[in-house]
Amino acid sequence: MNTENLNKFRQMLIENGKSVSGLEYTKNNYDNGGKLIKESLPTITTDFCEIGSYNGEIYFVFIIDSKTFNLELFDEIKNMPNAKMYGFADFNKTLYPANNFDFDNFIKQIQKDKYLQIQFDCKNISLLDLFKEYSGLVNIFEKSKVTVINQLKIDLTE
């Protein structure tokens, strides 16, 4: 998905009454292999997550207060093939999915960091399906009662 489609998706969010930033280009992003991406990536931000485009796919990154992470949220997202969880300070280490995953150890790991990042990658998806995916994810986060960081209001770069 390209910048034009990301703008169309932004417009779709606005038309559906969602809070969303303007299109920005962010630096210092990393790919799924942990390598720094040299170019700036087009992103938009809602009150729930950052939405960006890289390598023809869209990604959602939700940032939550680690202390509020719970089993209810984990049960909802653990079997999603496009879900990945990693810390905020040590963002290059994927905590889930992981070989020999142990939930209790995972909880101990995330408690060491203020925030937990949960990413969902969407490939080859129409704008309507992307909106359904976004809405479904927001619903899961709301139901699980975790504290999602509103990146429109809180600057995490400070």
Side-chain angles (χ1 to χ4, degrees), residues 119-144:
Q119 179 172 326
F120 301 89
D121 295 330
C122 302
K123 297 177 184 168
N124 304 322
I125 189 167
S126 71
L127 289 177
L128 186 57
D129 287 341
L130 189 66
F131 184 78
K132 288 177 186 172
E133 179 85 1
Y134 172 79
S135 299
L137 290 170
V138 166
N139 187 41
I140 288 169
F141 280 88
E142 286 180 325
K143 273 191 344 195
S144 68

Side-chain angles (χ1 to χ4, degrees), residues 32 57-60 82-84 119-123 133:
N32 287 337
E57 69 182 44
I58 290 285
Y59 61 86
F60 301 115
N82 64 339
K84 180 170 103 172
Q119 179 172 326
F120 301 89
D121 295 330
C122 302
K123 297 177 184 168
E133 179 85 1

Side-chain angles (χ1 to χ4, degrees), residues 9-21:
F9 184 64
R10 178 182 175 274
Q11 195 57 44
M12 186 181 280
L13 289 167
I14 291 168
E15 288 167 4
N16 283 277
K18 309 296 182 197
S19 297
V20 63
S21 72

Side-chain angles (χ1 to χ4, degrees), residues 5-155:
N5 284 336
L6 191 58
N7 263 326
K8 287 179 184 173
F9 184 64
R10 178 182 175 274
Q11 195 57 44
M12 186 181 280
L13 289 167
I14 291 168
E15 288 167 4
N16 283 277
K18 309 296 182 197
S19 297
V20 63
S21 72
L23 183 72
E24 301 173 319
Y25 286 86
T26 60
K27 293 180 182 241
N28 298 321
N29 294 293
Y30 289 78
D31 66 16
N32 287 337
K35 292 191 177 113
L36 179 65
I37 300 167
K38 292 188 182 354
E39 71 266 22
S40 296
L41 299 183
T43 60
I44 56 176
T45 305
T46 71
D47 48 351
F48 277 91
C49 67
E50 176 185 279
I51 303 164
S53 178
Y54 176 65
N55 244 2
E57 69 182 44
I58 290 285
Y59 61 86
F60 301 115
V61 177
F62 292 79
I63 299 176
I64 66 166
D65 180 325
S66 295
K67 308 244 182 301
T68 67
F69 184 83
N70 58 44
L71 187 58
E72 182 181 349
L73 176 62
F74 184 72
D75 283 343
E76 284 287 333
I77 64 177
K78 69 181 179 188
N79 294 320
M80 294 180 175
N82 64 339
K84 180 170 103 172
M85 294 182 236
Y86 47 94
F88 191 76
D90 187 9
F91 53 83
N92 264 333
K93 182 179 182 206
T94 300
L95 302 172
Y96 183 86
N99 292 333
N100 304 318
F101 179 78
D102 175 88
F103 186 76
D104 292 333
N105 188 43
F106 172 76
I107 293 296
K108 285 179 192 160
Q109 283 290 112
I110 68 171
Q111 296 301 316
K112 294 176 187 174
D113 204 342
K114 186 173 183 176
Y115 301 119
L116 175 68
Q117 298 188 80
I118 305 174
Q119 179 172 326
F120 301 89
D121 295 330
C122 302
K123 297 177 184 168
N124 304 322
I125 189 167
S126 71
L127 289 177
L128 186 57
D129 287 341
L130 189 66
F131 184 78
K132 288 177 186 172
E133 179 85 1
Y134 172 79
S135 299
L137 290 170
V138 166
N139 187 41
I140 288 169
F141 280 88
E142 286 180 325
K143 273 191 344 195
S144 68
K145 302 204 180 350
V146 296
T147 301
V148 176
I149 305 306
N150 181 342
Q151 297 175 63
L152 290 173
K153 293 186 177 174
I154 296 172
D155 184 0

